[in-house]
Amino acid sequence: MPTTIVVGAQWGDEGKGKVVDLLAERSDMVARFQGGNNAGHTIVTGGETYKLHLVPSGILYPGTTCLIGSGTVVDPAALVAELDSLEERGVALDTLRLSGNAHLIMPYHIALDGASEMKLGRFSIGTTRRGIGPAYQDKAARVGIRAQDLLDAKILLAKLQIALEEKNQLLEVLYGLPRMDAEQIASELQPHAERLAPFIADTSLLVDRALREGKRVLMEGAQGTLLDIDHGTYPFVTSSNPIAGAACAGIGIGPTRIDQVIGVSKAYTTRVGEGPFPTEIDSAAGEHMLTQGNEFGTTTGRQRRCGWLDLVALRYAARLSGFTELALTKLDVLSGLPTVQLCTAYRTPEGDRLTEMPYHQTVFHHCTPEYRELPGWDDDLTGCRTLGDLPAAARNYVEAIADAVEVPITLIGTGQGRHEVIDRVEI
Ligand code: GDP
Ligand code: IMO
Ligand code: MG
């Protein structure tokens, strides 16, 4: 696995953190390429739970270099808090580096994210309110502030003053919020700047050097395919590209350096926030997924919406990112259901049967799922470590998914813990 990209195949929270942590054991470098602290990646090991938001999920292995790439957006205060909490728990941070080109989330981005959601009312996106969208907006508008600006207090203040000329209009006039002061923001940033300065580096160069030395590099995506700003369920998406193609831009390496792409999908589906979700269910099975899967957001604590696995959407994700492998997590959660359903197609209100993701948003919003029903299983899967340990019905379910997506399933999650997994298989 010289260069491997790991991405979410659904609406986020697929278990990317667990998969990356597992693969990090056999990697030299782990790099995050997009998103910010809207992400919440959970790793459970040795009775400890780690919730990572910006720091790559390889940090628990001493010696594994961890990079936060230029495609990310970084809230300095949130990153410092995350670093402090990891350090308090004895996690070494000496191998962490932050791209000087990563854009910073400023207090006005957070205020504008919240204010815009309030103004949208019933049309709101249900963002994490971490300032992600407004920070990416400023990056595209070329008025953003970057990690490297933390290294020069004069430049930082000048850029804040320019940005605030417009932001204060928005805050005050459009949203009726208090104005913000550049000098105050700059002085509050100063301790964070000092703390983060030693980590700021040319992360693209570090990845290039590692690859030239034959090292194994893992690229960690945040969010998921259907939250992609170009290809997801727009406008109910995040403001970056969580698909594999974005890893090259977000790190700064060429596509010719990529060897493998692993898509991560739950054995069912969840979504947090607003937006269409054809296989969402409001039944005992949904309640089972919610409680057995403990489906509450890692970042915001919100209850996740639950539903059956959507093979139309999963095939779409495999196409968009070119999955070479699929990791299927949380199979254990489905134990105890009398039957399990796989969405194999959509029906439009006119009765058309669609086996590809509809191109038009309105069609997607109105389509209903067509299911294939398979037998369930009662056995507890948490002890399963080989394919032979799986009950026949569970194995049958996994095979049906691999056949439909036409991508080999090489990892199956059978519990929350780091080693609760059937790994290095091919179905
Ligand atoms: P991420 O954002 O993709 O990293 O996923 P999250 O960490 O937000 O959510 C996934 C949740 O499922 C976390 O609580 C994980 O610890 C948990 N999880 C991951 N894989 C498995 C699995 O195979 N079985 C069970 N029961 N839990 C899992
Ligand atoms: P990980 O990396 C699940 C969702 C939000 C909202 C939409 C836009 O843990 O899988 P944003 O704050 O990004 O502007 O919100 O995207 N969202 C996520 N949902 N997992 C995530 O990250 C998410 N990051 C953002 O709930 O619907
Ligand atoms: Mg998450």
Side-chain angles (χ1 to χ4, degrees):
M1 47 174 280
T3 320
T4 304
I5 302 174
V6 178
V7 290
Q10 301 171 304
W11 276 288
D13 302 327
E14 298 91 347
K16 299 176 292 294
K18 174 177 161 169
V19 171
V20 170
D21 166 72
L22 197 76
L23 298 177
E25 198 175 5
R26 322 166 206 153
S27 307
D28 301 295
M29 188 176 257
V30 181
R32 261 285 295 274
F33 58 87
Q34 44 70 235
N37 60 326
N38 47 349
H41 297 176
T42 316
I43 303 168
V44 178
T45 178
E48 296 267 334
T49 300
Y50 297 87
K51 294 183 176 187
L52 300 170
H53 300 285
L54 271 165
V55 173
S57 302
I59 199 71
L60 300 184
Y61 294 99
T64 299
T65 304
C66 284
L67 308 179
I68 303 175
S70 56
T72 61
V73 283
V74 175
D75 178 337
L79 179 56
V80 166
E82 191 170 335
L83 298 186
D84 287 347
S85 119
L86 285 169
E87 245 174 6
E88 267 168 36
R89 299 176 72 179
V91 178
L93 300 174
D94 53 310
T95 59
L96 181 73
R97 294 292 178 271
L98 163 64
S99 168
N101 289 351
H103 277 252
L104 299 182
I105 299 175
M106 291 287 108
Y108 44 84
H109 293 135
I110 299 170
L112 290 169
D113 194 356
S116 128
E117 282 284 275
M118 292 275 284
K119 204 169 184 70
L120 283 169
R122 67 187 181 91
F123 299 111
S124 74
I125 296 160
T127 74
T128 59
R129 301 193 178 207
R130 297 294 190 270
I132 307 296
Y136 276 118
Q137 250 175 292
D138 275 5
K139 172 179 173 172
R142 292 157 295 178
V143 291
I145 293 171
R146 300 192 292 173
Q148 58 184 276
D149 298 327
L150 292 173
L151 303 174
D152 187 323
K154 252 172 80 179
I155 288 184
L156 180 66
L157 180 61
K159 289 194 175 182
L160 282 168
Q161 280 163 338
I162 293 169
L164 276 171
E165 270 181 38
E166 187 204 41
K167 298 299 181 262
N168 274 331
Q169 289 289 316
L170 286 174
L171 288 169
E172 197 175 32
V173 181
L174 188 62
Y175 296 117
L177 290 171
R179 295 171 69 85
M180 290 194 182
D181 178 60
E183 296 209 353
Q184 191 185 339
I185 294 176
S187 81
E188 283 166 5
L189 274 174
Q190 212 39 52
H192 301 322
E194 281 164 29
R195 174 88 160 102
L196 295 178
F199 296 103
I200 298 175
D202 181 347
T203 48
S204 156
L205 184 62
L206 294 176
V207 175
D208 180 64
R209 283 192 180 143
L211 290 176
R212 282 171 193 272
E213 287 167 16
K215 302 235 165 95
R216 295 155 304 176
V217 178
L218 210 62
M219 317 262 179
E220 177 181 11
Q223 290 80 52
T225 306
L226 298 167
L227 291 172
D228 186 279
I229 190 158
D230 288 296
H231 305 281
T233 50
Y234 193 89
F236 302 100
V237 293
T238 192
S239 298
S240 68
N241 292 107
I243 58 171
C248 292
I251 298 292
I253 59 159
T256 47
R257 312 293 283 280
I258 308 301
D259 299 290
Q260 284 173 300
V261 179
I262 304 179
V264 185
S265 169
K266 279 177 182 158
Y268 49 100
T269 309
T270 63
R271 172 166 207 172
V272 59
E274 303 305 320
F277 177 0
T279 63
E280 182 171 19
I281 44 174
D282 181 19
S283 61
E287 188 63 28
H288 176 103
M289 292 165 191
L290 178 73
T291 51
Q292 299 302 307
N294 191 25
E295 294 298 354
F296 294 89
T298 310
T299 297
T300 57
R302 287 176 292 175
Q303 185 174 312
R304 296 176 182 146
R305 299 155 64 192
C306 296
W308 297 114
L309 188 65
D310 183 338
L311 294 175
V312 181
L314 197 52
R315 284 172 60 91
Y316 178 63
R319 159 156 64 96
L320 289 176
S321 283
F323 295 163
T324 56
E325 295 172 40
L326 192 62
L328 191 72
T329 62
K330 303 190 98 164
L331 186 65
D332 55 296
V333 171
L334 298 181
S335 292
L337 290 170
T339 56
V340 281
Q341 320 270 343
L342 287 171
C343 166
T344 50
Y346 300 142
R347 286 276 176 193
T348 66
E350 295 74 35
D352 294 332
R353 185 172 187 271
L354 308 176
T355 54
E356 297 290 349
M357 194 76 170
Y359 184 66
H360 202 289
Q361 174 191 354
T362 313
V363 179
F364 186 63
H365 279 245
H366 291 104
C367 61
T368 49
E370 191 175 286
Y371 288 113
R372 175 177 168 201
E373 187 172 272
L374 294 167
W377 58 91
D378 278 330
D379 318 55
D380 177 4
L381 304 190
T382 46
C384 295
R385 296 289 175 276
T386 69
L387 285 180
D389 294 339
L390 286 181
R395 171 134 189 191
N396 184 35
Y397 180 70
V398 176
E399 280 169 358
I401 297 165
D403 284 349
V405 186
E406 298 177 283
V407 174
I409 294 178
T410 54
L411 184 152
I412 301 166
T414 54
Q416 240 199 332
R418 178 182 272 175
H419 296 294
E420 287 176 334
V421 65
I422 300 172
D423 195 12
R424 304 187 204 224
V425 291
E426 185 159 336
I427 289 193

